Amino acid sequence: MGTFSQFSVARELLQRGELEQALAEVDRVVGLFGKSVEALELQVDIRGAIVAKNRTPEQEARIWFDRGYQQAIAGDCLGSIESYDQALQLKPNHHEAWFNQGNRLDELGRYEAAIESYDQALQLKPDHHEAWNNRGVNLAELGKYEAAIESYDQALKIKPGNHDAWYNCGIVLNNLGEYEAAIASFDQTLQIKPDLYQAWNNRGIAALFSRGPTQLNAYMLKHPELNQRGYSGELASLTVGLTYGPSDTHPLGHGFLQRKLGDAHWDRAPTQSNPRYYRRQALTAYEASLHVLNAFAHPEERLQTLQKLIRTHDALREIAPDAIQALLRQGSELRTRILTQARSDEQRERLTRTLPNFNELTVDFHLSQGNTIAALETAEAAKNGLMQWLLPVPGTANYAEMREMIGDDTAIVYWYLGANAIATFVIRADQVEPIVVTEFDREISLKMRDRLDEWIKNWNKSYTNYKAKAKDSDIATDRTWRDTLPTELETLAEILNISALLPHIQNIPNLILVPHRDLHRFPLHTFFPAAHITHLPSLHLGRHLRPHQPQIHNLLNIVAPDHTGLDSLPEAPIEAIALDRMFQTHQIPTTKLENATHQTLTQSLPTPHSILHFNGHAGYNPDNPKLSSLGLQGDDRLTTIDLTKIPALRQYNLITLTSCETAITGNQTLTAEYVGLISGFLGHRIPHVLSTLWTIESAASTLFILQFYRQLLKGQSPSQSLTHSQTWLQTVTVRQLRRHYSYWIDRLPAEDEIRPFLKTWRNKLGTMEPNQTRYSHPYYWAAFTLSGRG
């Protein structure tokens, strides 16, 4: 009998947890056959199991806690959170585990969950000032500024010398526009920690926007120049800050403040009669920053400065193209080195999204040199580089492959937001090279690029305020985002130079739009009302989508899960019932899923369906796009990363996501390419995804959706159905809508649950002018966008 068969008995006893018997069995075999490496290893395993078995829950919790701590140091946030979960199951009153778990959730951008963890920590240890501070940071990320200040106040009551809480409070006050209060908060920070360079920078931002100084404080008495406001006040904060962080002892802070000094000059340039003077001032500051920041000691900070330096050289055009190319190579090589040295895949993905990207500068450079195809291929490669984990086929598309998607009746409009220019490419079948609709005058180009950034900031602020005040109301007490939407879109069209673009796409009925970064969030299709339009995150992804199948086999109808913390959608069931009846009229089976959880939804998805209709909340997570999610019942979510793990989605021909902001980012702008839920579905090669950019009045949304499906059932393509439904909603009159509702009311049984809603909607129209087009405003119809194949 071989040694292996003898030890197999001991191994079986070990697996069953009969540890003393297993150890005795090993000793017996060793007595017969002598010691071996396998025997020693098995003895170690058994004795380790005996130690583990005899550990108290508190000792076991400590082991999981230490493991989570080490995983966090290694950059494995998800693994760390799981370890802290294990520790808390064994020891629920472990306040440090709750606190550290909150920190890891914060890193992942899961702010609501982080706040819950901090709350648990504070229930156990109310004087944990760091938990109060970090809780405030996460509240601020959610835009809950007043609540954040309350958290910081609690931290400061416990520890008045908590410079982090003073600093973070200043950040929130800046966001609230309370600039003098912010300056006072930053000055409190700097009295405790005068070399905190971030505080000097943010103090400068507050001084820039403030309109009047308050009483002199200790810092202003020592440095009277700090009493200045506006541009001069910003420069004063930065230059005084540099004296508290000399380059020889504080190279990181000194380099950071020099870069911010350059930014102050750069931002000043567009409003001045001599912008080149300020750009040269910026160049001097960037060069000083680069001189201090070491590529090995401060690689990420140096990379930030290098990007700004190249952008400024590109704007000034005072050095040779070869010199700019050399700087671009230096930046790309440093970025590659940083990514290669990342501690984990998770950290590498985060750095890929957040590190300065030299593709934008490279696109600008290629365009300035007339290398149109190289510029477009660089833009496309940059997009796909950020979506590798979603792509059905790795890689990118070259220009020849891009052209495979067009024909005599189809063209591509491709935007790319360069560092100093807005590039628009048009790919047509009758043109060998892409047409470039870009302003090449450097000063005009820079102004338009700056105007776009400012427009996006104003859109974010206006929309956030509108959401807070308006919700689903038709009544506005002042001019809101909704009121100004038409004029704002006109301004965006001017910034994007749509008038120069239109002649290049005349008489082409089908357009594929490929936006870049924040442009994904806006209704660009409204600029081309005569065309059938689809959107794509990248052309490489679009090339690998399955062809659309017009035959509809089955509808999976997900009805408004009640997600914790989000508004309910009480009228969503009416849309679900109406859809069921419409499809049944065409003898197409439907499956309705209410109160959908992660488990019930993933169980339902493999059932043969061709359409998934989700009428519930969804959200984009700009800090961690993999966590963009559909809100399911209770606390359940279906994230983008979850979508990638559901092979059954490949059977679907169309996904519709309604009644939610599936493509909005709230008050943040995108620093990298848009990657979210829509890309997650397209990654399964699903031909089309219909989504909304903002929340729409429920009656209008239902009317649109029913009209869209009605066209699909008639055999129209999704893009044709979209165009038809948007046109119909814009032009349908009050009289026609009342007839529409009456038609359905008259045909429904008296006890039918839809009838009260239809009557309510019809009665609302009773006081309106019969010929009024109730839904002509773009708020009602422009939010619907179709992603996928043309």
Side-chain angles (χ1 to χ4, degrees), residues 657-664 690-694 696 783-785:
L657 308 170
T658 63
S659 297
C660 49
E661 299 154 300
T662 50
I664 206 78
L690 179 71
S691 61
T692 52
L693 298 170
W694 55 79
I696 305 160
F784 291 96
T785 62

Side-chain angles (χ1 to χ4, degrees), residues 12 34 54 67 92 104 108 117 144 177 225 246 334 356 380 388 434 476 480 508 727 735 741:
E12 185 177 343
N54 293 327
R67 182 183 181 190
R104 303 292 78 76
L108 291 174
S117 288
K144 299 177 180 180
E225 62 269 36
L334 179 55
E380 175 69 10
Q388 286 298 317
T480 65
I508 298 179
T727 303
R735 179 185 290 108
Y741 291 136

Side-chain angles (χ1 to χ4, degrees), residues 209 267 450-464 518 521-522 666-669:
F209 291 108
D267 293 339
D450 289 337
R451 275 190 69 190
L452 178 61
D453 287 341
E454 191 62 28
W455 185 93
I456 291 169
K457 289 177 186 175
N458 290 335
W459 172 284
N460 291 343
K461 183 177 180 181
S462 178
Y463 184 78
T464 302
D518 284 283
R521 301 168 46 210
F522 312 124
N667 62 353
Q668 293 179 275
T669 56

